[in-house]
Every structure is written in structure tokens, then in C-alpha cells.
Amino acid sequence: MKKILITGGAGFIGSHVVRLFVNKYPDSQIFNLDKLTYAGNLENLKDVEHKPNYKFVKGDITDATFINNLFNQEKFDSVIHLAAESHVDRSISNPLEFVQTNVIGTVNLLNAAKEIWKDNLANHLFYHVSTDEVYGTLGEEGLFTEETSYDPHSPYSASKAASDHFVRAYFDTYKLPVVISNCSNNYGPNHFPEKLIPLCIHNIKNNKPLPIYGKGENVRDWLFVEDHASAIDVIFHNAKLGSTYNIGGHNEWTNIDVIRLLCKIMDKKLGRAEGKNEKLITFVKDRAGHDLRYAIDSTKLQNELGWKPSLQFEEGLEKTVDWYLANEEWLSHVTSGNYQTYYDKQYVQR
Ligand code: NAD
Ligand code: TYD
């Protein structure tokens, strides 16, 4: 059985990747390594936790001794690395935590993989999952390609850029078999309600203000999370070693337009008068160093590996709203903090 380590599998995107791999590859052993920070929620994986090819390991990627021991013990065939601190606003308040997890944590994993694979680099892969934010910001025109120079502006994107550089350096220096993908903004089920879309779904439901930074003119390129997971699957199995792929939805929206659309969808779903939810929109102080526009050119991935997104944004957003409305318990556990007791109940006391 091939052993695949997925880091950060209890988080938003990681949980979708874990589910896809556990269900699609029953002959592979899928390990989910996660520290269970505030962003890690094992309730995301209830439907796969009892599958025989799934194993959860609680641990911290910044702990080099722990990581080396784990790799020595399990001798993973490949790694898909998603564990990270991921929220720009938190990176502005606490940059060092982002350096620890996103840079040091990544280098710890690279070192551990290099050590166990050193005598036979063939048939292994270290897949590093990254963001389009490393490229900085676009003006009105243009798209990020794989050749765009790095120009990160937030502590989050600076830490992800640094981790990408380390991954490439291990390919060049040690011939470690690596691949990197840089994806645009994801949305969908299990998204922690500190990010724009789930925060606003939660606030609309509870008739609370919808905080829009600045004038709401910043543009993001939104991709449904399951489409990101399917791109990761395609890249993991087919990518050329040492290469980079941009993943995006060709789906640019200003923040204010996203929230207006969300308000409209939720007017209908909640049986409220048309235009009622829009009244909750509140313009607040802008984010420091707020990137104006992200937009991805994913031609390379589409042409070389044949991947394309499956969902239109309107359809994906409606699906997302339906999920949040049908999963009130998930949302209330997350907002009350109860989800953090799930691990103790599920994995320790039994
Ligand atoms: P998330 O914050 O929802 O999840 C991160 C996960 O990593 C959590 O489960 C957390 O517990 C775990 N983690 C954090 N620190 C850890 C540590 N020290 N050791 C072990 N586990 C730790 O993040 P996400 O939105 O799912 O993003 C996953 C990855 O995808 C990140 O690398 C992020 O940079 C990248 N990415 C995210 C987006 C997006 O729109 N969310 C877009 C492109 C790329
Ligand atoms: P976010 O979901 O934090 O993702 P990222 O910063 O990684 O793109 O934010 C998406 C956009 O929404 C970004 O331009 C910042 C903006 N935003 C708000 O206007 N209000 C909010 O409360 C949040 C969290 C984000």
C-alpha cells in the first residue's frame, strides 16, 4: 500500500483533499497530519474517519524531532503539504507565527522527506500547495502566470513565498522530487467563518453587519474548493517534477459584487424580502497593504494536464449557502469553539 501523508487535512481545503483521496484511492493509506489549531476541525472528516485506509496523526510541523520520527516510522511514499497559517488578517497581527508554521514547518518536512528518500528518489513526490498571493497584486489588466515574479505584500503571502522558494531550492540542490501549485481564492463547505464568504453567510443568517474593507473594489478569482481538490489530484498524479502549476477559476469578482450576489441568494433561501440582506453591508476600515486584484491564468494546467473547473460561481455559491444552512451544527460548533473538544471525545477517551 502506498503511504500518502497529507498535512493540514483537518483544515478547509485539506479536508476536501483527504476525502477525495481516501474515497478514490482505497489501495493507498492516507495519513492526515494536523496540529488542530483553531482552523483544524476533525468534524470536517466525520464521513471518512472510520475508513480502513485513513489515519489521523495529531502533530506540529514546526517540531522537527517529531516530524523526523514520524517519517522514519511510517516511511511515507509521498507528501501533499497543505498545513499552514492561512488568514491574511491574522498574519498582520502575528507575523512570526506565519514564519514558524509556513516557513520553518515546510523546511522541517522537506528535511524529513530528503532524509528518508535519499537512497532512492524515484517514485516519491513532495507536493507543496501554495497560493496566488505570492505574485502580489495586479492592476486592472493582466493575469498571473507561472512566470510572474514573486512580489508578496502581506506577512502571509511573504511566508508562503519563502516556503515556495525553499521547495524549489530542495529540487535544485538535492534533486528532491517536488511540485508546487499556486491557487486562487477558494470557497465552499467547511470554510472557517473568518474568511469573507463564510463570515458573511454567518452574519446574514444572524442579521449582523457585513464588514466590507475599503470600498469593496478589490478583486479575487474564486474557485470552488472541490475543484481545487480535483486539480491537486490531477497534478499529484501527472505533474512533471520540479514544475509549478497555477490553479484558478477564470472567475473574477469585486468583493462588493460577491457580497451582493450572496445577499440575493440568501434573501431567497431565508424567505426575506428582496434587498433586505444588502442593507447589512457595512464599509469598514481597509486592510493594511490590501492587494487590489488577483487573477490566475491556468492555461498550463488545462493544456498540459487537462484539468478545468467544474462549477460556475453562481452555482457554487448557491451550493455553499445550502451547505451552511443544512449544517447549522457545524457552524455553531465552530463559532462556539465546541469543535475543539471533538478530538478529545473522538480520539482519546475511547
Ligand atoms: P486552513 O487555515 O483552513 O487550514 C490549515 C490547516 O493546517 C488546519 O487544519 C490547521 O490545524 C493546520 N495547521 C496549522 N498549523 C499547523 C502546524 N504547525 N502543524 C500541523 N498542522 C497545522 O487553510 P486552508 O484555507 O485550507 O489552506 C490550506 C493550504 O492551501 C494552505 O497552505 C494555504 O496557503 C493554501 N491555499 C489556500 C487558499 C484559500 O483560498 N484558502 C488558496 C490557495 C492556497
Ligand atoms: P479573505 O477571505 O480573507 O481572503 P484573502 O485575503 O486571502 O483574499 O478576503 C477576501 C477579500 O475580502 C479580500 O479582498 C479582503 C476582503 N474582506 C473584507 O472585505 N471583509 C472581511 O471581513 C474579510 C475577512 C475580507
Side-chain angles (χ1 to χ4, degrees):
M1 247 189 166
K2 289 262 182 222
K3 289 186 173 183
I4 304 174
L5 174 69
I6 299 180
T7 71
F12 167 47
I13 301 168
S15 60
H16 289 274
V17 177
V18 166
R19 175 175 303 101
L20 177 69
F21 274 66
V22 167
N23 288 332
K24 191 167 171 187
Y25 304 108
D27 293 336
S28 293
Q29 184 72 42
I30 309 301
F31 290 77
N32 171 14
L33 167 64
D34 201 296
K35 182 183 174 185
L36 300 183
T37 67
Y38 80 94
N41 183 352
L42 286 176
E43 291 187 23
N44 295 348
L45 288 166
K46 272 183 170 170
D47 56 325
V48 295
E49 69 191 7
H50 298 300
K51 298 247 167 155
N53 65 330
Y54 171 73
K55 185 166 182 209
F56 176 68
V57 181
K58 188 171 187 224
D60 186 342
I61 59 168
T62 69
D63 181 345
T65 308
F66 165 78
I67 291 295
N68 290 334
N69 288 340
L70 180 69
F71 274 65
N72 271 323
Q73 188 187 313
E74 299 294 350
K75 303 268 184 311
F76 301 115
D77 293 286
S78 34
V79 176
I80 306 178
H81 174 37
L82 296 109
E85 288 294 334
S86 68
H87 189 40
V88 173
D89 295 321
R90 287 181 190 253
S91 81
I92 295 169
S93 324
N94 190 358
L96 209 49
E97 197 163 355
F98 284 66
V99 176
Q100 291 292 351
T101 300
N102 298 0
V103 187
I104 313 263
T106 301
V107 176
N108 284 338
L109 292 166
L110 289 166
N111 281 338
K114 174 166 85 66
E115 193 48 37
I116 61 159
W117 298 342
K118 67 181 178 212
D119 295 328
N120 176 16
L121 289 169
N123 301 320
H124 297 297
L125 181 65
F126 189 102
Y127 180 170
H128 178 60
V129 175
S130 193
T131 167
D132 62 352
E133 302 191 25
V134 298
Y135 298 123
T137 185
L138 293 161
E140 311 265 299
E141 299 284 309
L143 300 171
F144 296 135
T145 73
E146 289 80 1
E147 273 72 49
T148 304
S149 301
Y150 276 30
D151 182 24
H153 296 134
S154 72
Y156 164 64
S157 53
S159 68
K160 290 297 291 188
S163 65
D164 292 9
H165 290 318
F166 271 100
V167 173
R168 289 198 184 93
Y170 273 60
F171 178 74
D172 292 334
T173 309
Y174 308 109
K175 310 283 175 256
L176 192 76
V178 307
V179 64
I180 299 177
S181 59
N182 298 84
C183 189
S184 62
N185 285 60
N186 285 213
Y187 70 98
N190 305 106
H191 206 182
F192 196 82
E194 64 180 354
K195 308 275 171 76
L196 179 70
I197 290 179
L199 177 89
C200 288
I201 293 176
H202 178 63
N203 285 10
I204 290 173
K205 212 174 133 220
N206 295 293
N207 277 305
K208 285 190 179 161
L210 309 177
I212 306 296
Y213 297 158
K215 294 182 181 154
E217 286 168 348
N218 304 67
V219 174
R220 297 293 182 264
D221 178 351
W222 293 97
L223 181 70
F224 192 63
V225 63
E226 288 176 10
D227 280 331
H228 188 185
S230 81
I232 289 174
D233 180 25
V234 167
I235 293 168
F236 177 80
H237 287 96
N238 303 292
K240 198 171 135 238
L241 293 183
S243 58
T244 296
Y245 294 88
N246 280 354
I247 311 172
H250 286 293
N251 179 45
E252 291 181 50
W253 289 75
T254 60
N255 292 338
I256 188 68
D257 284 346
V258 169
I259 297 311
R260 285 201 181 113
L261 175 60
L262 188 62
C263 286
K264 223 164 126 185
I265 292 173
M266 290 189 70
D267 279 339
K268 280 207 195 105
K269 301 270 173 199
L270 297 172
R272 294 180 184 170
E274 205 180 318
K276 174 133 195 294
N277 290 330
E278 266 200 31
K279 296 203 177 84
L280 297 170
I281 291 176
T282 310
F283 293 96
V284 298
K285 188 168 168 276
D286 208 352
R287 172 186 279 171
H290 197 171
D291 286 333
L292 178 67
R293 176 173 166 254
Y294 303 144
I296 278 275
D297 179 352
S298 59
T299 311
K300 178 179 173 190
L301 176 59
Q302 303 204 15
N303 288 353
E304 271 188 24
L305 305 186
W307 172 89
K308 56 177 178 357
S310 70
L311 276 189
Q312 292 294 315
F313 188 53
E314 288 82 348
E315 196 187 340
L317 198 58
E318 192 168 336
K319 210 170 150 173
T320 303
V321 169
D322 286 342
W323 186 86
Y324 278 90
L325 295 180
N327 287 275
E328 285 196 6
E329 193 179 78
W330 183 93
L331 196 56
S332 79
H333 284 181
V334 167
T335 47
S336 69
N338 269 353
Y339 69 105
Q340 284 172 319
T341 61
Y342 181 79
Y343 172 78
D344 295 335
K345 283 198 220 122
Q346 190 66 19
Y347 290 88
V348 180
Q349 289 169 3
R350 279 194 301 172

